Amino acid sequence: MEQTISTTPKLFVTSIVENKDELEEKYERSFNTLQNLISGLSEKEAQNALNNAVCKDKNHEEVSLGLLFVILTEPQSAAKSYRDLTLITRDGLTLVLNHLTQLILERYLRLTDTVRTQVLWLVREMIRNAVTNVDNLCWNLMRHAAGGDVSSRNIMLVEALLDIYKENRSWLDKFPVLIASVVYAYLRLIEDHAVPALTQLRHKEVVFVVTLIRERFADCLVIGRDFVRLLQNVARIPEFEQLWRDLLTNPKSLCPTFTGVLQLLQTRTSRRFLQSRLTPDMERKLVFLTSQVRFGYHKRYQEWFQRQYLATPESQSLRCDLIRFIVGVIHPTNELLCSDIIPRWAVIGWLLTTCTSSVAASNAKLALFYDWLFFEADKDNIMNIEPAILVMHHSMRSHPAVTATLLDFLCRIIPNFYPLLADKVRAGIFSSLRQILEKRVLPTLFPLFDNPKLDRELRAMVREAFKEFCLPPTTEGKDDFNSGIHMNTKEEPTEQMLDGQENHTPSNNHLGDSEPTFSDDEEETAAPTLTPIPRSTEDEEDDDDIPLAKVRLKEKPAVAEGKLQESELDIVQQLEGEIRVAVETLHLERDNEAKCQAMERLVQLVIQEEDMDAEVISLLGSCLCTVLKEQLEGKVFPVDVNDETLEDSIGRPLFVMLRNVVQLPEGDPRRHPILSVLAEMSSHQPRVGYLLLYFLKACKLNDGKSSAYCEFCQALDKELESCLLTDLELCQEDDVNLFCWLVPEVYIQFPSVAIGHAQLLHLVVSTVDAAQLQDLVCHILQGRLVMFRSDSFRALLSASLSWETFEQYFLWQLVTAHGIPIDYVLPILPRLEFSSHAEALTSILLMLKQERPTAELLKHLLSREVRPPQDVFVVSALKYWCQEHEEKLGELVANLLSSRYPNTSPNKRKRGGGGANRAGLGAGAGPPSAEQVLGHLDQLRQCCRQNNFHLYSLDSMQRALQQAQSLCTDVQRKKFSDLFALAEVDEVETAAPKPSGGSKVSAAGRGRKGVSSNSSTGGGSKAAAASKSRAATKEVSESSEESSEEEEIVKPRHSKKRKKVNPVGSDSD
């Protein structure tokens, strides 16, 4: 045993003091299990032993992981182990792919060099064998090809992946999303490979990327504006210079639907692309820094990050990737914004101020402002433009040079980014600034744009560029500049970082000892005075120590509390009697239990009030919003979700009111006054709606849940559908985790509204990440969640066609989890465009792959327009079916084609094949026309010229083609002459053996497949085939009768007789 352990190969690089983690031990256990199974056995005996072992689920996993371990650690045994793995797998290598993905995302940096090389070998083999979902593995592996890193290990990975993509170009073309990701990644990497030692690699990258862009430009359009940004960085390379000429002067040569570079610049880049340029390790550390590290404790984390990732000259280009990731991917919740966690603007300021390369600094500023240039409020996100304005705002005091260089850049980018689009750039930047003011990111821009710390020339440039934003505000506006920075109607935490005494008159803004500084807690009591506070030596040291000014969050001062009390009491004074006393008690109490008792008392008073005046309800709602502001705006959803934490989270005064509503029976008139107060509160604080939904799920009450929310919507005088959507949208903005937790309950409690609702489903798929989607799928598989209904499914699919790529893929994951029948999807199939609806068609194609061919499937499939050579959807499905169901497919297609050319009178044929019947069934609902069937068959013929492809050699297909040839128009006969030639050639070939006599003569009419394909089928199999043929004929006939109303209703018997005497379709000679 000890000898076995000592010779076990190593998966990870470990030191002597490190213990093995659970994952490593799991792989070694699987390896030992595998060795025990096959040790001392011959190759055949080993295969039998493995096949017997995998019959059990646990053994299947252990054996699969054991073989994977051998592949990764023993290159000499990799080929044999991979062959064994493909033989024993029961899930198409899904288990292996999942574990490989885990290794790449979580442990890649610890893998030995041998294992890294073998991972690439295994990926190459899986691609060659067309293993499903290996494209996702490539995407994750490509994330480790880091920018700003020219180390030998990184270059080896970059080059190896490039070779894999070049060798398997036809495979790569099947995955539009991966194509776009490859282009995005290598455009970024080419920038780093300008050193002489990497000339050869860079040339390979350039040729490959330019070819990929030119041939698959439509797939690259989804990248959006960052595609243009990366192309700018490599524009001096000759191949890209020519590409830029075409991009600017002849866009149609790249893609018929491409209108010009403005189309790209107005498309926001998906988070997935921005995320893909950071390694998983970088991403984890940045997310930790911006979500867990408190402001003031961040310096050591930043220094550590800089030592590991930003220490070399080449790594300066990585700053752009980091800034784009922070701006476009890290969007903190309002609750996080109000905490003492280091804000995004501070991290970006640190990246800017520590940059040592002028080129990298310029590119970093462009990365920061890039979403400003073509910002549209209805399409873009305020969170993408917020960091830049806050960096300038907060740097003004201690680092005015940072603000000055950013303002200068912003002014100069308008005319210089692209002179022909200068007006568009100006409009985008102006739209950004207006949005900043509307959302109260800053209450006014005057102190920033017209600050005495800026030199005269820059101030003049800013005033000329942004005249409408340089107007002096009112006195209130000046005060607000330092005391009111808001985000989504909530206070942004950094507003408290500025000293409230700062005055923006020239006499108080000069540099020197008299400049205002960040005040300590003791100094806040002197806020009403106008005397500047001298800067201490300690403060100066702190300012120099931290790249941006050392900004400290202050605890809420007693003076502020006093002012808040006065403001509340002004409103409370307007209330009367016991209600006023109850509200005052609720406010003054500090103990949570006492507050809950006060709220309970207030609720009982409201219930007992028979006819409460509308004015009193309005005042009471306003008072409660002020008194309960902390609860309404704070985080409710616990980090660790269990019964205890949920119970604690709803043990607050606000939920006492909600509990009373739910506990009262449905339709009880005592509900109405409380709901009226809640409705009034909702007009001041919209979060009341989703907090009610949260309470309904978190509480242990089973009855009256949905009715309470429905009556709340009635009190608001809104439809349930509208109210539900509005509340969930707000919840999604505030707390994504809470939103995802609420979604299943919403579908359960409000099925009539939620199930099949396109907007709600779009909100879900646009919000969830992979882990949250997994939770939803688990709910669905457990039978606890239903999100689709049959009557609205087609409309839902139609609406989803305009969603983003990843949103559509998430939707199809949910469709797959529900096990939606293919019949629900088929009606929409004919209207889908191959180039525009790739996501839907890809998913439908994978569903068709799981089906056997039937007459109904073929009817919808062949109803698609024939558009070779780009649209290969129908060909792909038919060719796949030919692999296992060739004879069945041939019979179905033959009968469908024969039904398009019945041996009837011209009038009857005209009525059956006309468009009137289709018009009544809707687009794509009727059977395909003869032109469509022949067109798809001809396209299949062109794509399938292998020797082992025998579809057209089948007897049924031969008869159908002969019948179609004899009855089609001259135009069709000429158009499909190559297709009809297959029938003519076979006639000549099958006529030759007839004189040889015997059974061959009698079988000549039925055995063509056996003659042409050399298959060894006996008489019994032929009889079975004939039986199948008759069954298939019946199936297609039924389908045709459904679609051809007049033939079925007018003379069904005559139609059957005509079929029976048809000499071409007869089974006998």
Side-chain angles (χ1 to χ4, degrees):
M1 190 70 176
E2 292 177 0
Q3 184 180 1
T4 304
I5 295 175
S6 63
T7 58
T8 301
K10 294 295 181 183
L11 199 61
F12 302 115
V13 176
T14 54
S15 63
I16 300 175
V17 297
E18 284 180 318
N19 292 324
K20 293 179 182 177
D21 60 14
E22 293 181 4
L23 187 63
E24 188 172 4
E25 290 179 348
K26 181 178 182 179
Y27 275 100
E28 291 190 359
R29 281 198 307 272
S30 301
F31 174 74
N32 291 331
T33 301
L34 176 68
Q35 295 302 313
N36 292 336
L37 276 173
I38 64 175
S39 180
L41 299 180
S42 66
E43 188 171 334
K44 185 174 181 180
E45 291 172 338
Q47 289 181 2
N48 291 334
L50 292 176
N51 283 321
N52 293 332
V54 297
C55 293
K56 299 179 182 178
D57 289 339
K58 185 177 179 182
N59 284 352
H60 176 259
E61 180 178 1
E62 284 198 341
V63 172
S64 298
L65 292 185
L67 289 170
L68 175 60
F69 186 86
V70 174
I71 293 170
L72 295 180
T73 57
E74 299 179 6
Q76 68 278 6
S77 305
K80 176 180 177 298
S81 298
Y82 179 70
R83 184 200 62 196
D84 293 341
L85 185 60
T86 56
L87 290 174
I88 62 100
T89 184
R90 297 189 303 164
D91 56 3
L93 296 179
T94 300
L95 175 71
V96 173
L97 280 171
N98 290 340
H99 281 81
L100 264 180
T101 301
Q102 182 185 15
L103 281 176
I104 290 170
L105 289 178
E106 299 177 9
R107 302 287 202 282
Y108 185 81
L109 297 179
R110 292 187 55 203
L111 296 178
T112 65
D113 290 341
T114 300
V115 174
R116 294 188 187 194
T117 304
Q118 287 304 108
V119 166
L120 292 168
W121 178 88
L122 182 55
V123 168
R124 183 180 276 106
E125 292 300 313
M126 286 180 166
I127 291 174
R128 287 174 179 168
N129 290 287
V131 176
T132 306
N133 289 330
V134 73
D135 54 307
N136 293 329
L137 188 65
C138 291
W139 190 86
N140 287 315
L141 191 57
M142 199 159 51
R143 289 188 64 187
H144 287 283
D149 183 0
V150 293
S151 63
S152 57
R153 278 185 171 182
N154 195 58
I155 294 300
M156 184 276 291
L157 176 61
V158 170
E159 190 166 13
L161 285 173
L162 181 64
D163 291 338
I164 288 174
Y165 294 141
K166 288 177 67 177
E167 292 168 9
N168 301 278
R169 175 61 196 280
S170 59
W171 170 85
L172 179 62
D173 287 344
K174 299 174 185 176
F175 303 98
V177 176
L178 183 60
I179 286 174
S181 300
V182 169
V183 168
Y184 187 83
Y186 278 91
L187 272 178
R188 170 65 187 86
L189 293 170
I190 288 171
E191 179 187 353
D192 295 330
H193 299 163
V195 295
L198 300 176
T199 303
Q200 188 176 356
L201 171 60
R202 192 186 198 196
H203 178 70
K204 283 171 59 178
E205 292 170 333
V206 169
V207 172
F208 176 71
V209 171
V210 171
T211 304
L212 205 55
I213 291 174
R214 287 189 177 277
E215 294 179 2
R216 303 300 296 249
F217 193 79
D219 297 330
C220 299
L221 289 176
V222 299
I223 300 176
R225 59 177 63 119
D226 277 83
F227 184 33
V228 179
R229 182 178 63 84
L230 294 182
L231 282 172
Q232 285 178 280
N233 295 338
V234 295
R236 299 292 184 187
I237 299 174
E239 291 86 348
F240 285 108
E241 279 187 307
Q242 182 58 47
L243 180 64
W244 265 109
R245 290 193 197 99
D246 293 339
L247 198 68
L248 298 176
T249 60
N250 190 17
K252 296 288 184 184
S253 66
L254 296 172
C255 177
T257 60
F258 181 52
T259 57
V261 71
L262 182 61
Q263 179 182 341
L264 280 168
L265 291 168
Q266 289 178 332
T267 304
R268 181 165 58 91
T269 299
S270 169
R271 293 182 177 189
R272 301 283 176 171
F273 293 109
L274 303 178
Q275 179 193 28
S276 69
R277 284 298 79 224
L278 265 64
T279 66
D281 193 54
M282 287 183 201
E283 180 186 0
R284 280 192 291 270
K285 289 177 171 59
L286 267 186
V287 170
F288 177 81
L289 181 64
T290 54
S291 63
Q292 303 292 329
V293 178
R294 294 172 59 193
F295 203 93
Y297 296 88
H298 57 280
K299 183 179 178 182
R300 59 174 176 166
Y301 294 99
Q302 290 177 346
E303 290 176 347
W304 184 90
F305 191 94
Q306 182 154 350
R307 279 198 306 271
Q308 185 166 5
Y309 299 115
L310 300 171
T312 63
E314 308 85 42
S315 64
Q316 297 302 309
S317 62
L318 180 61
R319 294 176 190 272
C320 295
D321 300 330
L322 297 172
I323 290 174
R324 291 300 294 154
F325 177 80
I326 294 170
V327 167
V329 180
I330 298 180
H331 289 177
T333 63
N334 279 4
E335 189 251 341
L336 197 62
L337 289 172
C338 293
S339 69
D340 58 353
I341 300 300
I342 182 171
R344 294 188 300 164
W345 63 262
V347 180
I348 291 174
W350 158 66
L351 290 171
L352 289 173
T353 53
T354 56
C355 186
T356 58
S357 165
S358 58
V359 175
S362 179
N363 289 337
K365 284 180 277 190
L366 180 62
L368 178 60
F369 284 113
Y370 206 59
D371 290 307
W372 287 50
L373 306 184
F374 297 90
F375 182 83
E376 295 179 59
D378 56 335
K379 294 181 182 178
D380 290 295
N381 194 329
I382 181 66
M383 298 299 281
N384 291 350
I385 61 174
E386 176 242 33
I389 197 71
L390 291 182
V391 169
M392 293 191 288
H393 171 78
H394 290 295
S395 301
M396 181 64 80
R397 177 182 165 273
S398 58
H399 285 77
V402 173
T403 303
T405 187
L406 291 177
L407 282 175
D408 180 76
F409 182 87
L410 195 59
C411 292
R412 296 181 188 276
I413 198 71
I414 296 175
N416 295 317
F417 179 75
Y418 185 33
L420 295 179
L421 296 179
D423 291 339
K424 294 283 187 183
V425 175
R426 181 180 290 102
I429 293 176
F430 274 51
S431 177
S432 302
L433 294 171
R434 292 190 193 101
Q435 190 76 353
I436 284 166
L437 294 177
E438 287 174 14
K439 295 293 186 181
R440 303 286 292 172
V441 179
L442 291 180
T444 176
L445 296 172
F446 175 73
L448 176 63
F449 284 173
D450 198 20
N451 197 296
K453 290 186 178 181
L454 303 175
D455 64 69
R456 185 177 303 173
E457 183 181 349
L458 178 57
R459 288 169 65 185
M461 189 191 304
V462 171
R463 276 196 296 269
E464 182 180 353
F466 308 111
K467 290 178 183 177
E468 70 174 83
F469 302 102
C470 295
L471 299 175
T474 61
T475 305
E476 284 185 4
K478 291 182 181 180
D479 292 337
D480 284 347
F481 180 67
N482 287 328
S483 61
I485 301 169
H486 299 271
M487 184 66 204
N488 293 340
T489 73
K490 294 191 67 156
E491 292 188 13
E492 208 271 357
T494 53
E495 72 191 73
Q496 300 176 20
M497 298 177 184
L498 292 177
D499 177 39
Q501 303 168 38
E502 183 172 348
N503 190 319
H504 291 285
T505 59
S507 61
N508 284 313
N509 268 285
H510 58 82
L511 296 171
D513 291 338
S514 61
E515 180 187 356
T517 186
F518 296 87
S519 58
D520 292 324
D521 292 345
E522 298 79 19
E523 294 167 340
E524 290 178 16
T525 56
T529 67
L530 296 176
T531 307
I533 299 174
R535 297 179 65 180
S536 66
T537 305
E538 181 180 348
D539 284 338
E540 290 175 357
E541 290 176 356
D542 288 340
D543 287 348
D544 293 334
D545 192 33
I546 298 176
L548 293 176
K550 182 179 180 182
V551 183
R552 291 161 46 195
L553 284 170
K554 302 178 289 187
E555 298 294 331
K556 291 184 178 179
V559 174
E561 283 188 6
K563 288 181 181 178
L564 188 62
Q565 292 172 14
E566 291 173 11
S567 173
E568 290 173 5
L569 290 175
D570 288 340
I571 304 174
V572 174
Q573 294 296 328
Q574 301 176 47
L575 296 172
E576 297 178 354
E578 294 185 51
I579 291 180
R580 172 179 166 180
V581 174
V583 172
E584 289 177 343
T585 306
L586 177 63
H587 169 61
L588 294 173
E589 286 290 349
R590 288 291 170 261
D591 179 64
N592 185 63
E593 189 67 30
K595 278 179 172 287
C596 291
Q597 292 175 2
M599 176 58 84
E600 181 67 35
R601 172 64 180 158
L602 178 61
V603 171
Q604 295 305 318
L605 290 172
V606 172
I607 291 175
Q608 293 166 13
E609 193 78 26
E610 293 182 358
D611 294 317
M612 184 174 285
D613 188 76
E615 185 178 350
V616 176
I617 291 177
S618 177
L619 286 171
L620 181 57
S622 179
C623 276
L624 289 176
C625 281
T626 308
V627 171
L628 302 176
K629 181 180 179 182
E630 184 180 346
Q631 295 176 43
L632 289 167
E633 296 183 353
K635 182 176 174 64
V636 177
F637 192 56
V639 177
D640 298 321
V641 181
N642 54 57
D643 290 345
E644 185 178 349
T645 56
L646 288 174
E647 192 63 33
D648 290 343
S649 70
I650 58 175
R652 304 180 188 180
L654 172 64
F655 297 108
V656 171
M657 179 182 285
L658 302 181
R659 188 181 296 276
N660 277 274
V661 174
V662 179
Q663 285 179 335
L664 290 171
E666 182 179 352
D668 193 319
R670 291 177 296 173
R671 272 186 173 185
H672 297 160
I674 310 178
L675 289 170
S676 299
V677 174
L678 285 172
E680 182 61 34
M681 291 174 65
S682 181
S683 66
H684 297 283
Q685 180 50 270
R687 291 173 178 78
V688 171
Y690 78 71
L691 289 176
L692 175 56
L693 289 173
Y694 172 69
F695 177 77
L696 293 178
K697 183 171 183 181
C699 71
K700 299 298 183 182
L701 304 173
N702 295 320
D703 300 327
K705 284 188 175 185
S706 58
S707 65
Y709 186 79
C710 292
E711 291 184 28
F712 171 69
C713 297
Q714 293 172 6
L716 289 172
D717 197 22
K718 291 183 179 179
E719 294 290 333
L720 174 61
E721 176 184 353
S722 170
C723 205
L724 198 59
L725 198 60
T726 302
D727 288 337
L728 289 175
E729 284 176 349
L730 185 60
C731 178
Q732 177 259 345
E733 292 175 6
D734 288 348
D735 191 338
V736 172
N737 292 326
L738 173 56
F739 170 80
C740 295
W741 189 73
L742 286 178
V743 164
E745 187 72 7
V746 168
Y747 277 92
I748 292 170
Q749 294 295 333
F750 309 101
S752 60
V753 173
I755 295 178
H757 195 286
Q759 286 178 274
L760 177 56
L761 195 60
H762 186 209
L763 187 64
V764 173
V765 297
S766 65
T767 302
V768 297
D769 59 19
Q772 292 158 346
L773 177 68
Q774 178 180 267
D775 290 339
L776 291 178
V777 170
C778 291
H779 277 84
I780 293 167
L781 295 182
Q782 294 171 32
R784 293 160 52 190
L785 176 60
V786 177
M787 304 177 78
F788 305 106
R789 58 159 50 98
S790 58
D791 56 352
S792 62
F793 188 74
R794 193 187 308 179
L796 176 64
L797 283 189
S798 299
S800 72
L801 297 178
S802 60
W803 299 354
E804 287 193 14
T805 294
F806 287 100
E807 295 168 356
Q808 291 192 55
Y809 280 133
F810 279 0
L811 168 67
W812 284 102
Q813 293 275 6
L814 296 174
V815 170
T816 304
H818 278 83
I820 300 293
I822 189 70
D823 299 340
Y824 286 19
V825 180
L826 290 177
I828 200 177
L829 188 56
R831 58 169 288 209
L832 296 179
E833 296 289 338
F834 191 75
S835 58
S836 307
H837 306 132
E839 302 87 353
L841 284 175
T842 300
S843 303
I844 295 173
L845 193 59
L846 293 176
M847 291 179 72
L848 289 172
K849 181 183 174 185
Q850 308 300 322
E851 302 288 332
R852 292 174 176 268
T854 65
E856 190 66 19
L857 285 179
L858 280 178
K859 183 184 79 171
H860 288 87
L861 190 64
L862 298 181
S863 294
R864 288 181 57 78
E865 290 299 321
V866 183
R867 292 176 179 170
Q870 294 86 5
D871 189 345
V872 294
F873 179 84
V874 176
V875 169
S876 302
L878 294 178
K879 191 173 179 183
Y880 178 79
W881 279 337
C882 282
Q883 296 174 18
E884 295 184 6
H885 313 289
E886 187 173 50
E887 188 171 343
K888 173 75 171 175
L889 180 64
E891 293 164 356
L892 292 172
V893 174
N895 285 295
L896 182 59
L897 180 58
S898 298
S899 70
R900 299 301 89 207
Y901 288 105
N903 228 355
T904 61
S905 65
N907 290 336
K908 185 70 72 177
R909 185 163 64 250
K910 181 177 180 182
R911 287 198 301 271
N917 186 31
R918 278 198 188 185
L921 294 173
S929 66
E931 187 87 11
Q932 287 174 322
V933 177
L934 289 172
H936 288 303
L937 288 176
D938 194 48
Q939 189 180 6
L940 180 63
R941 174 192 63 79
Q942 296 173 33
C943 296
C944 305
R945 297 181 178 178
Q946 301 93 333
N947 294 330
N948 61 345
F949 187 77
H950 310 295
L951 180 69
Y952 297 107
S953 303
L954 295 176
D955 180 63
S956 55
M957 284 296 297
Q958 290 286 302
R959 291 198 305 271
L961 288 172
Q962 292 168 13
Q963 180 175 338
Q965 184 180 17
S966 64
L967 297 176
C968 69
T969 64
D970 291 339
V971 174
Q972 291 174 339
R973 193 174 291 111
K974 182 177 180 181
K975 181 177 180 181
F976 302 111
S977 58
D978 290 341
L979 178 64
F980 291 138
L982 296 178
E984 295 169 357
V985 170
D986 265 11
E987 267 192 310
V988 175
E989 289 177 353
T990 54
K994 281 185 178 180
S996 61
S999 59
K1000 287 189 178 181
V1001 176
S1002 63
R1006 303 174 62 91
R1008 283 193 187 134
K1009 183 183 179 186
V1011 173
S1012 58
S1013 61
N1014 296 323
S1015 62
S1016 57
T1017 56
S1021 63
K1022 290 179 182 178
S1027 176
K1028 286 184 181 179
S1029 175
R1030 286 191 290 274
T1033 304
K1034 182 178 179 182
E1035 189 175 358
V1036 176
S1037 300
E1038 289 172 357
S1039 175
S1040 302
E1041 287 170 2
E1042 289 176 7
S1043 58
S1044 305
E1045 304 172 344
E1046 298 183 15
E1047 287 188 19
E1048 178 184 0
I1049 296 171
V1050 180
K1051 292 183 179 180
R1053 292 183 181 177
H1054 183 64
S1055 175
K1056 288 181 180 177
K1057 183 183 289 185
R1058 187 163 57 252
K1059 273 190 171 182
K1060 188 173 182 181
V1061 299
N1062 182 359
V1064 181
S1066 174
D1067 284 342
S1068 66
D1069 291 335

